[in-house]
Amino acid sequence: MSKPTVYEAVPQFGRLRNEVLYGDVWNQPELSKRDRSLATCAILAALGKNAELEAHMKMGIENGLTVEELRGLVVQVAFYAGWPCGVNAAKAGMELFAADLGRS
Amino acid sequence: MSKPTVYEAVPQFGRLRNEVLYGDVWNQPELSKRDRSLATCAILAALGKNAELEAHMKMGIENGLTVEELRGLVVQVAFYAGWPCGVNAAKAGMELFAADLGRS
Amino acid sequence: MSKPTVYEAVPQFGRLRNEVLYGDVWNQPELSKRDRSLATCAILAALGKNAELEAHMKMGIENGLTVEELRGLVVQVAFYAGWPCGVNAAKAGMELFAADLGRS
Amino acid sequence: MSKPTVYEAVPQFGRLRNEVLYGDVWNQPELSKRDRSLATCAILAALGKNAELEAHMKMGIENGLTVEELRGLVVQVAFYAGWPCGVNAAKAGMELFAADLGRS
Amino acid sequence: MSKPTVYEAVPQFGRLRNEVLYGDVWNQPELSKRDRSLATCAILAALGKNAELEAHMKMGIENGLTVEELRGLVVQVAFYAGWPCGVNAAKAGMELFAADLGRS
Amino acid sequence: MSKPTVYEAVPQFGRLRNEVLYGDVWNQPELSKRDRSLATCAILAALGKNAELEAHMKMGIENGLTVEELRGLVVQVAFYAGWPCGVNAAKAGMELFAADLGRS
């Protein structure tokens, strides 16, 4: 059998992800999905969680953010969470930024 | 004389705040002021900087965020930065939330 | 009316706390309540969330931790999360420690 | 000669590790080795120190923790330190979880 | 009896502080006391540990740092650890900065 | 064309790096370049930003820090930011430490 995912490795974690995080929190009406993506990317960048940030930047584009807005986020992160968090956020979005510049 | 502000106490810091942070970064076109406020609140909540978060939540309302959107942010923060960060974000916005509920 | 709690101020947050955090996560069988308290205190101490840490140290005593074990936790935190986190954890447990020493 | 370890590269650091961290702190009576492991894994997960977390999860099993208890820790970490810390903790324990599932 | 200090409340913590932190680490020859103070203030500012930062800024002056150097540190912290960490560092040093400006 | 750097990917970020971070902050007179390097390495080590730490340790040597002083920094970081931050700082400086020991 193939190597389990983190959610298969810890089944309660997978259940809570499906039922609560994606099945409940993301669907609540207070904040749009586009804004949840922007906030989530900002949080992940501030905490230096780059693997998740890369995934959420791509999901953010699907939810209506633009590549240019993600560039603005990188700078805002650099000033409020520190320069290295800005650098890491730019790395996490590199695939999107490079494609946008025609250099992917 | 009165006690100096942090920006009077460290004059270079005050100069950079005026020239760069508020005179440059916040005015760049990639991200709207409303979205910079949302991202900044998300960053400050994730890093547990409550005094700044309280100020930026109020500035966010002036920049076009709604109180209800800030409620959505609290929950998103709780799940992505940990429950205590959500609690702290709710405390930072308490004046806004209480007024919105007619309980200020 | 009195000032709202954080969970009244952000109703979705209160719902998720009751349904998910206390109504689900804390009741799962993988880890005992005593061990969940120990782990939660360790997490809160590492993240410097002192108000929550103080409450969870007291809840931990109800869940079967001893005051002496919390003293051991303070030292472990100091070495793995840094000295100031140890100092803060000792402050968060001060009421318990002082009572244990007959100096409350 | 081979590349030095971190403790050979910084000899005072190696001396303090042997004399203080492992020669003193871990042997103190306030907290059992099993509980020190649980607390240390919780701290490392909250701080996102995955290389150390992977090593301490394995050491925790030797000190009496069960794989199922580590699964419970992953979920507790996700809620108190944020979802990405839970994901990272699950990754750090993947070798243990996969072996337990017969999928290593 | 009076309320115990954190080091009286957790005696092993007090013993390790005296024997190891101040009795050993701070006396090692690799880094001068002045430079240990500068590094310690930088670390505490980056981690937002303001009570300890205030004490170590004053100890740093005794160890040979100048008030002007601490002003430079505030700005360096703001850029590398994020603006709110700079603001907090300026607050932690306010007594020193105000006295230096003749406004204490 | 080759893959863009982070500063090419986010042009405002590159502009601010050149104009502000390196063109202004690092040249201010309050703190020497050697001391800015020591403080920056301490901050980066405390925040676990290892790629940047490795680069700034090398820049620190150019700015007048010694390899032995960086060894002292590793230990100071371990006690004030937690043991894993010391381990990571030692890894970030490994090339310098190994060369100094004649084991590169």
Side-chain angles (χ1 to χ4, degrees), chain D residues 1-98:
Chain D
M1 289 176 76
S2 64
K3 192 182 154 192
T5 67
V6 293
Y7 295 114
E8 291 170 331
V10 186
Q12 294 276 11
F13 194 29
R15 178 183 65 77
L16 289 158
R17 176 185 184 272
N18 293 341
E19 287 181 10
V20 179
L21 187 62
Y22 284 108
D24 183 338
V25 171
W26 275 83
N27 295 321
Q28 294 307 326
E30 288 83 359
L31 202 59
S32 72
K33 280 207 166 54
R34 182 257 186 207
D35 285 348
R36 283 189 195 273
S37 278
L38 178 58
T40 303
C41 287
I43 294 166
L44 295 172
L47 299 178
K49 303 296 180 188
N50 266 36
E52 285 83 1
L53 179 55
E54 186 176 341
H56 276 279
M57 280 178 156
K58 290 176 185 170
M59 195 191 302
I61 299 292
E62 291 174 28
N63 285 339
L65 292 171
T66 68
V67 173
E68 200 67 357
E69 287 171 335
L70 293 180
R71 284 195 178 96
L73 178 63
V74 165
V75 172
Q76 200 76 3
V77 164
F79 277 83
Y80 283 93
W83 209 265
C85 287
V87 172
N88 283 331
K91 287 179 185 169
M94 187 53 82
E95 203 178 309
L96 294 167
F97 298 140

Side-chain angles (χ1 to χ4, degrees), chain B residues 12 15-16 19-20 24-25 28-30, chain F residues 12 15-16 19-20 24-25 28-30:
Chain B
Q12 294 275 11
R15 178 184 63 79
L16 288 159
E19 288 181 10
V20 180
D24 183 338
V25 171
Q28 294 306 325
E30 287 84 357
Chain F
Q12 294 275 12
R15 178 183 64 79
L16 288 159
E19 287 181 10
V20 180
D24 183 336
V25 171
Q28 294 306 327
E30 288 84 358

